[in-house]
Amino acid sequence: MMEMDDLYKKYRAIKECLNSGIFLWGAGTNGGWCLDYCQREGFKIRGFIDSNPLRKEINGVEIVPIEKYREEWKNHPVLVTAKHSAGEILKNNKDIPLIMSFDAFFLIDHLMEYESLEFFDEESYKVLDALKEYMLTSKPDVLYKVTCHDQYFAIPSFFNTGNENFVDLGAYSGDTIEEFLFQHHGSFQHIWAFEQGEKQFRALEIRLERLVQEWALDRSKITIEKKESVR
């Protein structure tokens, strides 16, 4: 693992180049999300680095092979957005002066927010520490020790009493609601679900119709709204 002092130095150097232009390595789904974030933050993105010869651009941002980057823009910083191969990319491209994973850059940039998080159980702090280590090192094996299949219902606070009020912000297609019903045997006080995506909300409505029939639910006890959040 790179020493933290070296990682912070690299972060600060890249931070100084955000207005002159940086590259993102990995033009997949995660690369698209990272591009959206960078553009919202006002970062100047000069291009993507990607090995797929069939892809030429994403949202107007040019995609170039690594060879072209080395020939023309090697002094421009690179944030690796190819999450599952970030470790290998970083290991094999140490000759690039300013290269680090997007996750590591994002974590350092928002470190105070991460460190201000508070939980009611010790296990959540262990999970957070493992996630931070993974973001800094790009080594997925650090997550193995905190892997849990009951993602949202692992702690005792979610044990069924039959009187739960369940709020799902970003309900997607209702997958977590369905898991909630299984975990709580279809017993609850009320469910609120909020989803802003058009396609996702339609899928949520379709799934809900099925769940109401399969679980013999009282439809009046479930509220779904097409919006991002609730106040």
Side-chain angles (χ1 to χ4, degrees), residues 16 24 36 38 40 78 99-100 102 110 121 123 127 145 156 159 193 211 213-214 228 230:
E16 293 176 357
L24 302 179
D36 288 343
C38 291
R40 289 198 306 271
V78 176
I99 183 172
M100 69 187 301
F102 182 90
H110 295 270
D121 66 297
E123 194 65 26
V127 172
K145 58 187 176 184
F159 286 172
L211 292 175
Q213 295 181 42
E214 290 180 352
E228 181 175 2
V230 61

Side-chain angles (χ1 to χ4, degrees), residues 41-101:
E41 293 294 309
F43 302 170
K44 182 176 181 179
I45 307 300
R46 285 188 172 269
F48 271 100
I49 300 170
D50 199 274
S51 59
N52 187 343
L54 300 179
R55 306 193 70 178
K56 302 301 181 184
E57 58 90 21
I58 294 181
N59 295 337
V61 177
E62 181 185 11
I63 300 175
V64 300
I66 182 61
E67 294 78 14
K68 184 174 182 179
Y69 165 81
R70 290 181 182 280
E71 291 173 2
E72 301 182 23
W73 298 294
K74 189 174 180 180
N75 290 326
H76 287 279
V78 176
L79 294 180
V80 180
T81 60
K83 187 182 291 287
H84 298 299
S85 54
E88 182 179 355
I89 291 172
L90 293 170
K91 178 181 178 181
N92 295 333
N93 294 276
K94 294 179 180 179
D95 60 307
I96 297 176
L98 293 177
I99 183 172
M100 69 187 301
S101 74

Side-chain angles (χ1 to χ4, degrees), residues 140-155:
D141 58 315
V142 302
L143 299 177
Y144 297 164
K145 58 187 176 184
V146 295
T147 298
C148 177
H149 295 293
D150 294 330
Q151 181 178 6
Y152 298 114
F153 307 100
I155 60 178

Side-chain angles (χ1 to χ4, degrees), residues 128-188:
L128 178 61
D129 287 342
L131 285 171
K132 287 160 61 177
E133 184 177 353
Y134 167 62
M135 292 174 75
L136 291 172
T137 65
S138 298
K139 296 179 179 178
D141 58 315
V142 302
L143 299 177
Y144 297 164
K145 58 187 176 184
V146 295
T147 298
C148 177
H149 295 293
D150 294 330
Q151 181 178 6
Y152 298 114
F153 307 100
I155 60 178
S157 304
F158 282 94
F159 286 172
N160 180 30
T161 67
N163 295 313
E164 281 84 6
N165 289 285
F166 184 67
V167 181
D168 193 350
L169 301 179
Y172 190 52
S173 63
D175 52 327
T176 307
I177 292 174
E178 184 161 6
E179 179 64 20
F180 172 79
L181 292 172
F182 274 106
Q183 293 283 349
H184 293 73
H185 311 291
S187 179
F188 58 90

